[in-house]
Amino acid sequence: MIVKPKYWVLLLLILLGGISPSNAASTPVDPKVLHIINRLSFGPAPGNVQRVESMGVEKYIQEQLSPDSIPEPQSLSSQLNQLDTLHLNPVELSEHGTTHLPGQKPSLEERKAANKWAKQVLDQAVQARLLQATSSKR
C-alpha cells in the first residue's frame, strides 16, 4: 500500500494516539432527544441535549409549539431592537422616502435611494433571522 505524503502526518497522529475522537459523546444520548432537537430546531446547540433530557421530550415539544412562552435572551432583544426596519409595518416600508406624486416617474436619485432602502431592509431582515436562529431558544 502506498500512502501519499500529505497523509503521513495524519496517519502518524492516529497511530500515536494524538487524535482522539472529539465529537464522541461522553454519555450516550437518547436518539429520541436528538431526533426532536433536529426536527424542532437548527440542531443541537451547546446545552440543548441536557435541557431536553431534564425537561422531557413532551414538555420540550409543547414549549416549542408555543414560542411566545419562551423568553428571549436580553442580548438578543437588544440586538434586534437596534434593527430599525424590523419595527415598521409593510406600508411604512413601501412608502419610505417616496416624494414623487402618483403617476410620475421617480428621479434617478429617488430610485437610488429606494434601492439603498430596499437593500437595508433586506440586510436587516437577514441579520435578524440569523441572530434568532443562533441565539434564541425558540
Side-chain angles (χ1 to χ4, degrees):
M1 173 170 109
I2 298 175
V3 178
K4 294 184 178 183
K6 65 182 179 181
Y7 297 111
W8 277 107
V9 174
L10 181 61
L11 182 62
L12 184 62
L13 287 172
I14 291 172
L15 291 175
L16 294 176
I19 296 178
S20 62
S22 60
N23 60 352
S26 58
T27 59
V29 178
D30 182 5
K32 186 175 182 181
V33 169
L34 283 178
H35 177 75
I36 294 300
I37 291 173
N38 283 323
R39 296 292 292 174
L40 298 179
S41 69
F42 289 102
N48 275 51
V49 172
Q50 294 80 10
R51 183 170 172 258
V52 174
E53 286 177 338
S54 68
M55 72 188 314
V57 170
E58 292 303 320
K59 186 175 178 187
Y60 178 75
I61 292 171
Q62 291 307 314
E63 181 183 71
Q64 293 298 314
L65 290 174
S66 57
D68 292 335
S69 68
I70 306 170
E72 291 284 20
Q74 182 58 38
S75 60
L76 174 61
S77 297
S78 63
Q79 287 177 311
L80 292 175
N81 286 335
Q82 293 175 3
L83 304 175
D84 55 343
T85 61
L86 294 182
H87 309 292
L88 301 176
N89 64 42
V91 173
E92 293 170 326
L93 288 171
S94 67
E95 292 179 351
H96 182 271
T98 56
T99 56
H100 64 278
L101 298 173
Q104 286 184 334
K105 284 189 171 184
S107 67
L108 179 61
E109 293 81 23
E110 287 176 326
R111 288 192 309 241
K112 284 183 181 179
N115 287 340
K116 184 177 177 183
W117 174 250
K119 183 179 179 340
Q120 180 182 354
V121 170
L122 178 63
D123 289 347
Q124 288 189 10
V126 168
Q127 185 178 0
R129 187 64 193 113
L130 288 174
L131 284 169
Q132 290 168 335
T134 57
S135 301
S136 178
K137 289 185 179 13
R138 295 179 179 180

